Every structure is written in structure tokens, then in C-alpha cells.
Amino acid sequence: MFTDGASDDQLHLHVSEVGPGTRAHPPHSHDGQEIFFGLDDKGEVLVGDKAHVLSGGETIQVNCTVDHGIRNIGDTTMRYAVIIARRLPSSCHSPPERIC
């Protein structure tokens, strides 16, 4: 649901669930910045060739232009939130009173 004037063109949030040993999709890349927020259990966030463990209550921010993804390394279903911020069009940077 979006209020008037809001969209997910520049800021997107969703919650995913994956079973033990699985991932929602293979590592990928795209424009913007992304934050994974672990809601429960434990995951492994892959960014390029580096792996980072993410537990419930922890966050990691990644550069989306590098291949990245997350998989469940726990014993139960893992839930995590994903926040993706995309670059604003250059016309939105000035003047500051302009609403994009």
C-alpha cells in the first residue's frame, strides 16, 4: 500500500522466507544499495566472493552493483527483510524544495 505520491521506484521493502539450505534466487546485481535485515534464524549473505553470516536482529548493507544474495544456513525457516534504495534522477537533487 502506498500513500499519495509514494511508489517503490526509488525505495522498496519486502519480507522473504526461505527454508533451511535454500535461497530465494541466485546471486544477482542491479542498481542501488540494499539492506538485509535478519528477522530470525541465520543466513549467509554473499557479496562478490565474500560471505557474511547474518543472524536475527542484524543488518548488512551491500553495494547492489556487485553480485549478492542470501541463503538460509540455519535449521528452520529464515525470515528477512530487504530494503532497496535506487538512485534518484538527477532532477531530484536540486532545488531542494522540489518533490520527486
Side-chain angles (χ1 to χ4, degrees), residues 18-100:
V18 291
T22 64
R23 63 177 74 239
H25 48 75
H28 61 283
S29 63
H30 52 84
D31 206 17
Q33 298 286 312
E34 188 164 336
I35 296 173
F36 293 102
F37 176 64
L39 298 171
D40 48 34
D41 213 340
K42 189 183 292 187
E44 178 183 69
V45 177
L46 183 67
V47 183
D49 61 356
K50 294 192 168 110
H52 308 273
V53 174
L54 180 73
S55 297
E58 295 179 339
T59 61
I60 183 170
Q61 182 173 343
V62 302
N63 175 351
C64 295
T65 62
V66 176
D67 279 350
H68 62 282
I70 185 170
R71 73 180 179 95
N72 183 346
I73 59 173
D75 297 325
T76 62
T77 298
M78 177 189 180
R79 292 182 321 122
Y80 59 95
V82 178
I83 302 167
I84 302 171
R86 294 180 180 91
R87 192 177 304 234
L88 291 172
S90 59
S91 61
C92 291
H93 294 289
S94 63
E97 63 275 3
R98 180 173 176 162
I99 298 173
C100 297

